[in-house]
């Protein structure tokens, strides 16, 4: 079922969803099930599965030259989605990236997903690699998420890269995209971000999931800007509880997200990470309750394989 249909069927009752990442290469699928099982009591209608593109590593050869090696540390997104749908009978939503794929790769991936009865995808540009200053698309690949949305929407119309195909079948993906309440780190302003969101929606996107935020006012302001700009599709807030002191520096640096002073000082004064985890749970619980009270249709949690704190929050909210 499509995300938009889940929201319509809920008839105003808030839905709980979460996101996981594939395990490191060498681990088995049970590690994924172990992180999902504790959260199934809250009846998530869908679970997102991130995609991690390959990275480049360099190995020094006996000659002294460097050999570039492509490494994929977290493979398995498609297989995990199939396993989730088979085991839990809930919709699994894979993330689709521009980075690491040319257009033919993307088309073949989407065909596989269609064969697996996967109804939803999230279209993302993806981040630059560690050795890149700016994102670089693959040769003959989609440069921007808006182009990726167009390719997916074209498949929904039966338009393939090979224009000579006869009687081609159409896919029926519901397309999600990312939104940034505090703007994308490369965007000059929130208004410019909203402008490009509108372009993705024009190209075929049907719902938005936001980057994490820790101040609900930033989310509400973002939604107001979107609505004023004529964006009417569902906007799903992405939430993540702070769990360690290290995240005080890591989250603003990696995700270009501001942390409220009250949250920062509470974490700074905490005696250990157990205390930090409890602070994160309480902060995110209050965020969640306020969002539910405001009539937000779905709350989406970035669990990243850690179920304990998300479960504590969900028990207070759902």
């Amino acid at each position: 079922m499509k995300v938009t249909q889940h929201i319509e069927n809920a008839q105003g009752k808030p839905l709980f969803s979460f996101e996981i990442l594939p395990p490191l290469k060498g681990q088995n699928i049970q590690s994924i099930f172990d992180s999902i099982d504790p959260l199934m009591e809250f009846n998530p209608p869908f679970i997102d599965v991130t995609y991690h593109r390959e990275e480049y590593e360099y190995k020094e050869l006996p000659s002294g030259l460097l050999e570039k090696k492509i490494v994929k540390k977290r493979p398995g997104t498609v297989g995990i989605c199939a396993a989730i749908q088979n085991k839990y009978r809930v919709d699994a939503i894979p993330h689709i990236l521009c980075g690491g794929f040319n257009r033919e790769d993307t088309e073949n991936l989407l065909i596989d997903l269609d064969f697996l009865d996967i109804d939803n995808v999230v279209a993302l540009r993806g981040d630059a690699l560690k050795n890149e200053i700016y994102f670089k698309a693959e040769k003959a690949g989609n440069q921007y998420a808006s182009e990726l949305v167009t390719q997916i929407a074209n498949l929904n119309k039966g338009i393939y890269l090979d224009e000579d195909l006869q009687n081609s079948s159409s896919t029926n993906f519901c397309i999600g995209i990312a939104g940034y309440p505090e703007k994308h780190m490369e965007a000059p302003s929130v208004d410019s971000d909203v402008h490009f969101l509108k372009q993705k929606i024009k190209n075929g996107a049907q719902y938005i999931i936001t980057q994490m935020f820790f101040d609900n006012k930033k989310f509400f302001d973002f939604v107001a800007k979107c609505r004023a700009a004529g964006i009417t599709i569902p906007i799903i807030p992405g939430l993540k509880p702070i769990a360690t002191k290290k995240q005080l520096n890591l989250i603003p640096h990696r995700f270009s997200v501001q942390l409220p002073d009250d949250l920062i000082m509470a974490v700074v004064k905490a005696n250990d990470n157990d205390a930090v985890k409890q602070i994160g749970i309480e902060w995110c619980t209050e965020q969640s309750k306020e969002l539910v009270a405001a009539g937000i249709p779905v709350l989406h949690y970035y669990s990243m394989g850690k179920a304990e704190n998300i479960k504590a929050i969900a028990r207070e909210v759902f």
Side-chain angles (χ1 to χ4, degrees):
M1 186 184 296
K2 295 182 177 183
V3 167
T4 50
Q5 292 173 315
H6 282 299
I7 293 172
E8 290 171 5
N9 293 345
Q11 298 182 337
K13 181 181 178 181
L15 302 175
F16 165 83
S17 71
F18 60 96
E19 183 170 302
I20 61 172
L21 73 167
L24 289 167
K25 184 180 287 187
Q27 297 179 359
N28 61 33
I29 193 69
Q30 189 59 45
S31 63
I32 291 294
F33 296 155
D34 290 344
S35 69
I36 293 175
D37 287 344
L39 301 176
M40 291 308 296
E41 67 177 272
F42 307 108
N43 299 313
F46 56 87
I47 299 170
D48 277 36
V49 184
T50 64
Y51 191 96
H52 290 253
R53 62 183 292 195
E54 72 279 353
E55 300 177 7
Y56 296 116
E57 291 184 352
Y58 292 88
K59 178 182 178 181
E60 186 173 357
L61 300 174
S63 63
L65 297 175
L66 293 178
E67 178 185 48
K68 185 166 76 171
K69 182 180 179 182
I70 298 176
V71 178
K72 195 170 182 63
K73 294 184 176 180
R74 292 185 182 274
T77 295
V78 175
I80 291 167
C81 286
I84 287 173
Q85 294 203 159
N86 180 63
K87 180 177 175 63
Y88 297 104
R89 302 293 185 231
V90 301
D91 285 299
I93 306 180
H95 290 188
I96 311 292
L97 305 183
C98 295
F101 294 88
N102 61 38
R103 289 184 180 89
E104 186 173 357
D105 294 332
T106 298
E107 182 172 276
N108 291 336
L109 172 61
L110 291 166
I111 290 169
D112 284 343
L113 296 175
D114 184 50
F115 289 167
L116 289 169
D117 287 329
I118 288 173
D119 296 327
N120 307 274
V121 295
V122 176
L124 305 166
R125 189 200 70 177
D127 297 325
L129 295 175
K130 292 179 182 178
N131 61 325
E132 296 175 343
I133 298 175
Y134 299 106
F135 171 83
K136 294 180 182 178
E138 297 296 311
K139 186 177 180 180
N142 293 304
Q143 177 75 40
Y144 303 105
S146 58
E147 295 176 354
L148 177 56
V149 170
T150 296
Q151 183 176 7
I152 301 168
N154 280 343
L155 273 186
N156 283 348
K157 301 171 187 174
I159 302 171
Y160 289 70
L161 296 175
D162 183 350
E163 297 177 356
D164 295 328
L165 290 177
Q166 299 294 319
N167 301 315
S168 56
S169 62
S170 301
T171 57
N172 192 25
F173 293 113
C174 181
I175 307 169
I177 53 175
Y180 298 86
E182 300 177 59
K183 84 176 185 62
H184 188 277
M185 63 182 68
E186 296 175 18
S189 70
V190 174
D191 287 338
S192 69
D193 246 1
V194 171
H195 169 80
F196 289 112
L197 270 180
K198 289 187 68 176
Q199 183 61 54
K200 295 175 195 176
I201 294 164
K202 181 180 179 182
N203 292 0
Q206 294 159 281
Y207 70 97
I208 298 166
I209 292 184
T210 77
Q211 174 64 277
M212 69 183 75
F213 57 91
F214 296 86
D215 181 348
N216 283 355
K217 185 177 185 304
K218 295 183 184 297
F219 173 76
F220 292 134
D221 289 347
F222 172 72
V223 172
K225 274 185 176 290
C226 288
R227 300 308 186 214
I231 293 174
T232 59
I233 64 174
I235 302 176
I236 299 171
L239 299 166
K240 178 178 175 62
I242 288 279
T244 67
K245 286 194 174 187
K246 183 186 290 187
Q247 289 175 338
L248 287 184
N249 303 107
L250 181 65
I251 288 175
H253 173 72
R254 181 171 293 178
F255 300 102
S256 192
V257 169
Q258 293 183 343
L259 299 174
D261 288 339
D262 289 351
L263 176 59
I264 292 171
M265 293 313 300
V267 172
V268 166
K269 294 176 182 178
N271 293 327
D272 53 36
N273 277 335
D274 286 341
V276 172
K277 185 179 290 186
Q278 186 58 36
I279 291 166
I281 288 170
E282 292 172 2
W283 188 277
C284 194
T285 298
E286 291 307 308
Q287 276 191 275
S288 301
K289 288 180 177 179
E290 184 178 25
L291 292 165
V292 168
I296 302 303
V298 186
L299 303 189
H300 186 73
Y301 295 89
Y302 294 110
S303 74
M304 314 315 279
K306 307 293 184 183
E308 181 183 348
N309 51 1
I310 304 299
K311 183 174 182 178
I313 296 162
R315 279 183 168 170
E316 295 294 323
V317 178
F318 296 94

